[in-house]
Amino acid sequence: MSSYSLGSVLILLGLAILVGPFIVLFFLTIGPAGWVLLGGSLIVVGALVSLWENARSDESDRQTWTDCDNCGRRIYDGSHACTHCGTDR
């Protein structure tokens, strides 16, 4: 069974039919310089987002998880029992 209903598939198909030709015309008219600008801007934005995500994660968040002694699953370091196997810590 698909997670998409027929109604949502038809809506997405209708949007693709309406918007698709405009997207194709846009990419045909921007020329080589437009392709370089578009690709370069995507690279710059991707690098900035990657740097921003790395700056947000600090070392204390990474140290709050540990492995269960019994089953080896990753569990919160402050928990009293493993959420997977139920072993007391």
Side-chain angles (χ1 to χ4, degrees):
M1 181 83 150
S2 174
S3 63
Y4 294 108
S5 68
L6 180 60
S8 62
V9 170
L10 291 175
I11 290 171
L12 290 174
L13 182 62
L15 285 172
I17 290 171
L18 287 175
V19 176
F22 295 108
I23 293 173
V24 170
L25 287 175
F26 171 75
F27 283 117
L28 289 175
T29 59
I30 63 173
W35 284 100
V36 170
L37 288 174
L38 184 63
S41 62
L42 287 175
I43 290 170
V44 169
V45 168
L48 290 174
V49 167
S50 178
L51 289 172
W52 181 70
E53 287 176 346
N54 286 338
R56 282 186 40 212
S57 64
D58 54 46
E59 193 65 30
S60 63
D61 285 343
R62 288 184 225 148
Q63 294 177 352
T64 58
W65 295 90
T66 187
D67 295 330
C68 174
D69 296 331
N70 187 38
C71 66
R73 292 291 283 265
R74 299 288 288 169
I75 57 173
Y76 181 64
D77 195 26
S79 64
H80 298 288
C82 177
T83 55
H84 180 68
C85 67
T87 303
D88 289 334
R89 294 199 58 200

XYZ file of all heavy atoms in Angstrom:
670
model
N 0.847 -1.170 0.000
C 0.000 0.000 0.000
C 0.888 1.226 0.000
O 1.801 1.334 0.788
C -0.896 -0.040 1.239
C -1.829 1.112 1.329
S -3.145 0.756 0.399
C -4.571 1.090 0.406
N 0.616 2.163 -0.868
C 1.394 3.379 -0.998
C 1.017 4.373 0.095
O -0.118 4.414 0.555
C 1.156 4.000 -2.365
O 1.792 5.248 -2.464
N 2.001 5.201 0.502
C 1.714 6.204 1.518
C 1.037 7.435 0.900
O 0.567 8.288 1.612
C 3.001 6.610 2.227
O 3.881 7.210 1.304
N 1.025 7.528 -0.424
C 0.370 8.638 -1.104
C -1.043 8.242 -1.499
O -1.289 7.157 -1.989
C 1.133 9.029 -2.374
C 2.496 9.585 -2.111
C 3.635 8.854 -2.400
C 2.651 10.855 -1.576
C 4.897 9.367 -2.164
C 3.911 11.382 -1.333
C 5.018 10.636 -1.638
O 6.256 11.152 -1.401
N -1.987 9.152 -1.308
C -3.342 8.888 -1.760
C -3.456 9.340 -3.209
O -2.632 10.100 -3.722
C -4.348 9.636 -0.885
O -4.226 11.027 -1.103
N -4.483 8.893 -3.880
C -4.693 9.252 -5.278
C -4.878 10.758 -5.426
O -4.385 11.368 -6.370
C -5.904 8.496 -5.840
C -6.236 8.767 -7.306
C -5.065 8.391 -8.197
C -7.476 8.007 -7.706
N -5.543 11.377 -4.461
C -5.767 12.818 -4.525
C -4.476 13.600 -4.488
O -4.272 14.533 -5.268
N -3.553 13.233 -3.599
C -2.286 13.959 -3.514
C -1.426 13.728 -4.747
O -0.726 14.630 -5.204
C -1.528 13.583 -2.243
O -1.216 12.210 -2.246
N -1.492 12.535 -5.320
C -0.751 12.258 -6.550
C -1.296 13.112 -7.689
O -0.533 13.691 -8.474
C -0.804 10.755 -6.903
C -0.258 10.499 -8.286
C -0.053 9.937 -5.869
N -2.609 13.224 -7.789
C -3.211 14.038 -8.850
C -2.879 15.515 -8.662
O -2.637 16.236 -9.641
C -4.724 13.825 -8.887
C -5.179 12.449 -9.366
C -6.691 12.316 -9.231
C -4.744 12.210 -10.799
N -2.855 15.984 -7.424
C -2.491 17.380 -7.160
C -1.045 17.636 -7.580
O -0.743 18.635 -8.242
C -2.714 17.725 -5.679
C -4.212 17.766 -5.370
C -2.058 19.060 -5.324
C -4.532 17.884 -3.898
N -0.133 16.740 -7.202
C 1.267 16.903 -7.584
C 1.457 16.839 -9.092
O 2.241 17.594 -9.668
C 2.128 15.838 -6.900
C 2.304 15.990 -5.392
C 3.054 14.796 -4.817
C 3.035 17.281 -5.074
N 0.741 15.967 -9.754
C 0.814 15.864 -11.207
C 0.298 17.142 -11.863
O 0.900 17.662 -12.816
C 0.016 14.648 -11.692
C 0.040 14.371 -13.194
C 1.458 14.081 -13.653
C -0.871 13.201 -13.513
N -0.800 17.687 -11.357
C -1.334 18.939 -11.895
C -0.361 20.089 -11.710
O -0.167 20.904 -12.621
N 0.283 20.164 -10.533
C 1.284 21.202 -10.311
C 2.471 21.049 -11.253
O 2.994 22.040 -11.774
C 1.762 21.182 -8.862
C 0.797 21.750 -7.826
C 1.316 21.496 -6.421
C 0.595 23.233 -8.060
N 2.894 19.823 -11.475
C 4.017 19.586 -12.389
C 3.660 20.006 -13.813
O 4.485 20.590 -14.519
C 4.422 18.116 -12.356
N 2.428 19.744 -14.234
C 2.000 20.132 -15.578
C 1.911 21.650 -15.705
O 2.257 22.227 -16.732
C 0.662 19.453 -15.926
C 0.888 17.946 -16.119
C 0.029 20.069 -17.162
C -0.383 17.149 -16.257
N 1.459 22.316 -14.654
C 1.351 23.775 -14.699
C 2.709 24.475 -14.617
O 2.963 25.439 -15.328
C 0.462 24.278 -13.559
C -1.029 24.034 -13.693
C -1.742 24.487 -12.437
C -1.573 24.766 -14.899
N 3.582 24.010 -13.742
C 4.837 24.696 -13.469
C 5.966 24.208 -14.369
O 6.885 24.966 -14.684
C 5.205 24.525 -11.969
C 6.533 25.137 -11.644
C 4.118 25.130 -11.097
N 5.921 22.966 -14.805
C 6.996 22.367 -15.595
C 7.444 23.173 -16.800
O 8.639 23.431 -16.975
N 6.528 23.596 -17.672
C 6.960 24.360 -18.852
C 7.671 25.668 -18.504
O 8.618 26.059 -19.183
C 5.647 24.641 -19.596
C 4.734 23.562 -19.148
C 5.110 23.272 -17.731
N 7.245 26.343 -17.443
C 7.897 27.586 -17.053
C 9.319 27.336 -16.551
O 10.226 28.128 -16.806
C 7.067 28.309 -15.986
C 5.735 28.771 -16.499
C 4.577 28.149 -16.094
C 5.657 29.814 -17.409
C 3.352 28.560 -16.564
C 4.435 30.243 -17.889
C 3.278 29.615 -17.476
N 9.506 26.232 -15.847
C 10.850 25.891 -15.372
C 11.762 25.572 -16.547
O 12.911 26.026 -16.607
C 10.781 24.714 -14.373
C 10.068 25.156 -13.103
C 12.168 24.175 -14.051
C 9.793 24.038 -12.131
N 11.262 24.813 -17.522
C 12.056 24.476 -18.708
C 12.422 25.742 -19.472
O 13.579 25.932 -19.876
C 11.290 23.477 -19.610
C 11.989 23.306 -20.939
C 11.149 22.144 -18.894
N 11.461 26.640 -19.690
C 11.743 27.887 -20.399
C 12.756 28.742 -19.641
O 13.625 29.374 -20.252
C 10.456 28.673 -20.628
C 9.526 28.115 -21.698
C 8.232 28.909 -21.736
C 10.202 28.129 -23.054
N 12.661 28.778 -18.325
C 13.615 29.541 -17.534
C 15.030 29.022 -17.745
O 15.957 29.791 -17.997
C 13.242 29.486 -16.050
C 14.282 30.068 -15.146
C 14.447 31.442 -15.058
C 15.097 29.237 -14.395
C 15.420 31.980 -14.223
C 16.066 29.770 -13.562
C 16.228 31.151 -13.481
N 15.210 27.716 -17.666
C 16.543 27.159 -17.818
C 17.058 27.259 -19.249
O 18.269 27.288 -19.460
C 16.580 25.711 -17.333
C 16.609 25.599 -15.845
C 15.575 24.978 -15.162
C 17.646 26.122 -15.116
C 15.599 24.885 -13.780
C 17.683 26.041 -13.730
C 16.648 25.408 -13.066
N 16.177 27.332 -20.229
C 16.621 27.512 -21.611
C 17.044 28.953 -21.886
O 17.889 29.196 -22.741
C 15.513 27.097 -22.584
C 15.230 25.600 -22.675
C 14.035 25.344 -23.585
C 16.450 24.844 -23.173
N 16.480 29.909 -21.170
C 16.762 31.314 -21.458
C 17.893 31.906 -20.641
O 18.378 32.978 -20.978
C 15.502 32.178 -21.239
O 15.068 32.031 -19.891
C 14.397 31.789 -22.191
N 18.347 31.247 -19.565
C 19.374 31.870 -18.733
C 20.755 31.808 -19.361
O 21.625 32.587 -19.001
C 19.401 31.293 -17.300
C 19.748 29.810 -17.290
C 18.126 31.585 -16.583
C 19.939 29.237 -15.896
N 21.003 30.917 -20.285
C 22.288 30.838 -20.969
C 23.397 30.305 -20.088
O 23.205 29.994 -18.908
N 24.613 30.215 -20.665
C 25.748 29.657 -19.921
C 26.115 30.450 -18.666
O 26.447 29.874 -17.632
C 26.892 29.698 -20.931
C 26.246 29.764 -22.259
C 24.947 30.486 -22.056
N 26.069 31.774 -18.750
C 26.403 32.588 -17.578
C 25.399 32.342 -16.457
O 25.757 32.294 -15.281
C 26.446 34.060 -17.948
N 24.136 32.178 -16.810
C 23.116 31.886 -15.812
C 23.340 30.551 -15.139
O 23.140 30.417 -13.933
N 23.771 29.556 -15.928
C 24.059 28.238 -15.358
C 25.208 28.330 -14.366
O 25.173 27.721 -13.292
C 24.402 27.241 -16.456
C 23.202 26.767 -17.197
C 22.781 27.203 -18.407
C 22.249 25.800 -16.762
N 21.631 26.562 -18.761
C 21.281 25.692 -17.770
C 22.119 25.025 -15.622
C 20.192 24.827 -17.671
C 21.044 24.159 -15.526
C 20.099 24.074 -16.542
N 26.255 29.108 -14.720
C 27.398 29.261 -13.819
C 26.965 29.982 -12.553
O 27.325 29.577 -11.437
C 28.545 30.015 -14.529
C 29.638 30.390 -13.547
C 29.115 29.169 -15.650
N 26.182 31.050 -12.680
C 25.709 31.776 -11.509
C 24.805 30.916 -10.634
O 24.916 30.922 -9.407
C 24.979 33.046 -11.927
C 25.851 34.178 -12.469
C 24.988 35.312 -12.991
C 26.780 34.671 -11.387
N 23.903 30.176 -11.268
C 22.996 29.315 -10.510
C 23.761 28.214 -9.784
O 23.566 27.980 -8.585
C 21.934 28.724 -11.437
C 20.856 27.879 -10.789
C 20.033 28.723 -9.833
C 19.958 27.268 -11.854
N 24.657 27.536 -10.491
C 25.445 26.474 -9.863
C 26.356 27.000 -8.775
O 26.464 26.421 -7.696
N 27.011 28.127 -9.036
C 27.895 28.723 -8.044
C 27.149 29.168 -6.797
O 27.630 28.980 -5.676
N 25.965 29.746 -6.994
C 25.194 30.189 -5.834
C 24.719 28.997 -5.007
O 24.689 29.059 -3.780
C 24.014 31.061 -6.264
O 23.118 30.325 -7.076
N 24.362 27.900 -5.654
C 23.963 26.699 -4.919
C 25.137 26.130 -4.117
O 24.956 25.671 -2.981
C 23.397 25.637 -5.856
C 22.013 25.922 -6.419
C 21.622 24.863 -7.435
C 20.985 25.992 -5.311
N 26.332 26.176 -4.689
C 27.516 25.696 -3.974
C 27.790 26.568 -2.747
O 28.042 26.063 -1.650
C 28.741 25.666 -4.912
C 28.570 24.552 -5.952
C 30.036 25.472 -4.134
C 29.600 24.588 -7.060
N 27.710 27.886 -2.923
C 27.965 28.799 -1.810
C 26.920 28.625 -0.712
O 27.245 28.536 0.469
C 28.010 30.261 -2.309
C 28.005 31.248 -1.159
C 29.226 30.473 -3.191
N 25.645 28.549 -1.095
C 24.579 28.374 -0.101
C 24.742 27.033 0.614
O 24.591 26.945 1.840
C 23.189 28.505 -0.752
C 22.092 28.056 0.183
C 22.954 29.933 -1.201
N 25.068 25.981 -0.123
C 25.276 24.672 0.499
C 26.433 24.679 1.480
O 26.352 24.096 2.559
N 27.521 25.359 1.127
C 28.669 25.446 2.036
C 28.312 26.235 3.289
O 28.687 25.845 4.400
C 29.849 26.082 1.317
N 27.577 27.336 3.129
C 27.179 28.133 4.289
C 26.246 27.359 5.217
O 26.387 27.409 6.437
C 26.521 29.435 3.837
C 27.453 30.453 3.176
C 26.664 31.640 2.650
C 28.523 30.902 4.143
N 25.296 26.625 4.645
C 24.380 25.823 5.461
C 25.145 24.733 6.198
O 24.901 24.476 7.378
C 23.250 25.232 4.581
C 22.476 24.165 5.322
C 22.328 26.335 4.098
N 26.092 24.115 5.518
C 26.893 23.067 6.150
C 27.717 23.628 7.311
O 27.775 23.023 8.389
C 27.812 22.429 5.115
O 28.625 21.457 5.704
N 28.330 24.784 7.108
C 29.097 25.407 8.187
C 28.199 25.811 9.346
O 28.568 25.664 10.512
C 29.848 26.626 7.655
C 31.022 26.342 6.734
C 31.543 27.636 6.126
C 32.115 25.604 7.463
N 27.018 26.322 9.043
C 26.079 26.730 10.086
C 25.609 25.539 10.908
O 25.522 25.606 12.128
C 24.889 27.445 9.450
C 23.875 27.923 10.428
C 24.004 28.936 11.319
C 22.568 27.389 10.622
N 22.857 29.079 12.055
C 21.951 28.140 11.639
C 21.847 26.356 10.026
C 20.672 27.876 12.082
C 20.568 26.112 10.466
C 19.993 26.866 11.481
N 25.316 24.408 10.235
C 24.887 23.210 10.964
C 26.003 22.673 11.850
O 25.760 22.210 12.965
C 24.415 22.135 9.989
C 23.082 22.436 9.356
C 22.690 21.407 8.313
O 23.562 20.604 7.896
O 21.521 21.422 7.905
N 27.245 22.706 11.365
C 28.367 22.233 12.173
C 28.608 23.134 13.370
O 28.992 22.669 14.435
C 29.635 22.136 11.329
C 29.600 20.953 10.401
O 28.877 19.998 10.621
N 30.386 21.029 9.339
N 28.401 24.439 13.203
C 28.603 25.363 14.315
C 27.529 25.191 15.382
O 27.779 25.429 16.561
C 28.595 26.801 13.801
N 26.328 24.791 14.988
C 25.238 24.608 15.949
C 25.435 23.405 16.839
O 24.983 23.377 17.976
C 23.904 24.463 15.202
C 23.357 25.757 14.733
C 21.984 25.614 14.136
N 21.153 24.683 14.866
C 20.217 23.928 14.308
N 20.017 23.981 13.036
N 19.502 23.123 15.039
N 26.061 22.366 16.333
C 26.246 21.161 17.148
C 27.497 21.337 17.998
O 28.594 21.475 17.498
C 26.377 19.924 16.262
O 27.530 20.018 15.476
N 27.322 21.368 19.303
C 28.477 21.519 20.173
C 28.850 20.179 20.793
O 28.129 19.200 20.728
C 28.264 22.583 21.245
C 27.000 22.350 22.063
O 26.761 21.210 22.480
O 26.264 23.319 22.280
N 29.996 20.149 21.392
C 30.559 18.895 21.903
C 29.712 18.265 23.004
O 29.651 17.052 23.125
C 31.973 19.170 22.424
C 32.786 17.931 22.689
C 33.096 17.140 21.433
O 33.204 17.726 20.347
O 33.196 15.913 21.538
N 28.995 19.059 23.789
C 28.221 18.495 24.894
C 27.063 17.641 24.375
O 26.682 16.662 25.008
C 27.684 19.608 25.786
O 26.787 20.436 25.069
N 26.490 17.982 23.232
C 25.408 17.178 22.670
C 25.909 15.810 22.224
O 25.209 14.826 22.301
C 24.757 17.891 21.482
C 23.869 19.032 21.922
O 23.505 19.070 23.115
O 23.554 19.880 21.084
N 27.110 15.757 21.729
C 27.652 14.488 21.231
C 28.062 13.555 22.361
O 28.192 12.371 22.174
C 28.841 14.761 20.326
C 28.427 15.358 19.016
C 29.603 15.514 18.119
N 29.509 16.839 17.527
C 30.519 17.578 17.190
N 31.727 17.149 17.344
N 30.341 18.761 16.670
N 28.308 14.078 23.568
C 28.782 13.258 24.663
C 27.650 12.765 25.560
O 27.898 12.122 26.555
C 29.780 14.049 25.495
C 31.045 14.363 24.746
C 31.989 15.215 25.559
O 31.642 15.696 26.626
N 33.187 15.419 25.056
N 26.410 13.047 25.232
C 25.303 12.646 26.091
C 24.776 11.259 25.745
O 23.837 10.812 26.361
C 24.155 13.665 26.002
O 23.734 13.766 24.652
C 24.588 15.016 26.522
N 25.354 10.599 24.774
C 24.909 9.260 24.388
C 26.020 8.256 24.646
O 27.193 8.570 24.563
C 24.524 9.224 22.911
C 23.340 10.083 22.629
C 23.360 11.398 22.281
C 21.969 9.718 22.704
N 22.085 11.859 22.120
C 21.204 10.855 22.376
C 21.309 8.541 23.018
C 19.822 10.833 22.346
C 19.934 8.526 22.985
C 19.203 9.663 22.659
N 25.630 7.040 24.989
C 26.596 5.971 25.238
C 26.010 4.650 24.727
O 24.855 4.600 24.303
C 26.921 5.877 26.742
O 27.975 4.942 26.916
C 25.715 5.448 27.554
N 26.793 3.607 24.769
C 26.334 2.289 24.340
C 25.870 1.489 25.548
O 26.479 1.544 26.619
C 27.460 1.525 23.636
C 27.874 2.185 22.338
O 27.022 2.813 21.697
O 29.053 2.074 21.976
N 24.803 0.714 25.362
C 24.320 -0.177 26.418
C 25.346 -1.291 26.624
O 25.889 -1.840 25.668
C 22.968 -0.758 26.022
S 22.344 -2.018 27.157
N 25.603 -1.628 27.883
C 26.570 -2.682 28.193
C 26.069 -4.058 27.765
O 26.860 -4.952 27.472
C 26.874 -2.694 29.692
C 27.552 -1.404 30.146
O 28.257 -0.786 29.320
O 27.358 -1.027 31.318
N 24.750 -4.240 27.720
C 24.177 -5.544 27.409
C 23.980 -5.751 25.905
O 24.439 -6.730 25.347
C 22.850 -5.718 28.148
C 22.292 -7.112 28.007
O 23.042 -8.078 28.023
N 20.994 -7.219 27.860
N 23.285 -4.794 25.253
C 22.925 -5.027 23.849
C 23.705 -4.147 22.868
O 23.692 -4.399 21.670
C 21.427 -4.810 23.633
S 20.883 -3.114 23.856
N 24.363 -3.110 23.351
C 25.180 -2.267 22.493
C 24.439 -1.140 21.790
O 25.049 -0.412 21.017
N 23.139 -0.993 22.030
C 22.380 0.092 21.398
C 22.784 1.431 21.987
O 23.197 1.517 23.129
C 20.876 -0.091 21.602
C 20.250 -1.262 20.875
C 20.203 -1.115 19.381
N 19.183 -0.252 18.845
C 17.999 -0.635 18.421
N 17.636 -1.897 18.547
N 17.173 0.213 17.890
N 22.625 2.513 21.186
C 22.912 3.863 21.660
C 21.778 4.304 22.574
O 20.616 4.247 22.215
C 23.028 4.844 20.497
C 24.128 4.536 19.525
C 25.501 4.791 20.033
N 25.757 6.213 20.134
C 26.799 6.723 20.752
N 27.671 5.934 21.315
N 26.979 8.011 20.827
N 22.133 4.710 23.787
C 21.141 5.167 24.753
C 21.635 6.469 25.382
O 22.821 6.783 25.349
C 20.865 4.119 25.859
C 22.155 3.749 26.591
C 20.183 2.894 25.288
C 21.951 2.861 27.803
N 20.708 7.207 25.956
C 21.040 8.451 26.632
C 21.890 8.140 27.858
O 21.594 7.224 28.625
C 19.757 9.183 27.020
C 19.982 10.491 27.715
C 20.604 11.542 27.059
C 19.585 10.673 29.031
C 20.824 12.743 27.697
C 19.803 11.878 29.675
C 20.433 12.914 29.003
O 20.645 14.100 29.630
N 22.941 8.914 28.039
C 23.896 8.647 29.115
C 23.268 8.766 30.500
O 23.670 8.084 31.426
C 25.075 9.611 28.991
C 26.256 9.163 29.826
O 26.380 7.960 30.085
O 27.055 10.035 30.204
N 22.240 9.589 30.663
C 21.622 9.771 31.966
C 20.492 8.802 32.267
O 19.877 8.874 33.326
N 20.194 7.881 31.365
C 19.075 6.965 31.600
C 19.459 5.891 32.614
O 20.617 5.523 32.760
C 18.634 6.311 30.287
O 19.665 5.506 29.774
N 18.454 5.385 33.313
C 18.687 4.365 34.341
C 18.586 2.948 33.781
O 19.046 2.007 34.408
C 17.687 4.524 35.486
C 17.821 5.844 36.168
N 18.893 6.150 36.981
C 17.048 6.944 36.143
C 18.763 7.372 37.437
N 17.651 7.889 36.947
N 17.946 2.815 32.604
C 17.813 1.503 31.976
C 17.849 1.680 30.465
O 17.511 2.737 29.936
C 16.499 0.833 32.397
N 18.240 0.634 29.782
C 18.261 0.643 28.315
C 16.850 0.634 27.788
O 16.016 -0.174 28.230
C 19.043 -0.559 27.792
S 19.046 -0.693 25.996
N 16.547 1.507 26.835
C 15.200 1.562 26.262
C 14.946 0.402 25.315
O 13.807 0.113 24.992
C 15.004 2.880 25.511
O 16.026 3.029 24.532
C 15.052 4.053 26.469
N 15.997 -0.292 24.895
C 15.833 -1.405 23.954
C 15.692 -2.751 24.678
O 14.729 -3.479 24.457
C 17.010 -1.454 22.995
C 16.924 -2.561 21.989
N 15.984 -2.585 21.004
C 17.653 -3.695 21.846
C 16.149 -3.678 20.282
N 17.144 -4.370 20.771
N 16.635 -3.060 25.559
C 16.600 -4.372 26.204
C 16.126 -4.313 27.659
O 15.851 -5.341 28.261
C 17.980 -5.034 26.135
S 19.253 -4.210 27.113
N 16.055 -3.108 28.246
C 15.540 -2.962 29.601
C 16.550 -3.226 30.697
O 16.211 -3.203 31.880
N 17.816 -3.464 30.383
C 18.841 -3.730 31.375
C 19.099 -2.477 32.207
O 19.259 -1.391 31.673
C 20.157 -4.156 30.687
O 19.899 -5.293 29.872
C 21.231 -4.482 31.707
N 19.143 -2.655 33.544
C 19.470 -1.536 34.428
C 20.938 -1.165 34.261
O 21.789 -2.020 34.045
C 19.208 -1.907 35.891
C 17.717 -2.011 36.181
O 16.930 -1.346 35.471
O 17.350 -2.753 37.111
N 21.204 0.106 34.413
C 22.583 0.593 34.266
C 23.277 0.656 35.601
O 22.782 0.849 36.595
C 22.565 1.971 33.629
C 22.036 1.846 32.221
C 22.375 2.991 31.368
N 23.825 3.111 31.359
C 24.481 4.193 31.029
N 23.819 5.228 30.664
N 25.769 4.255 31.053
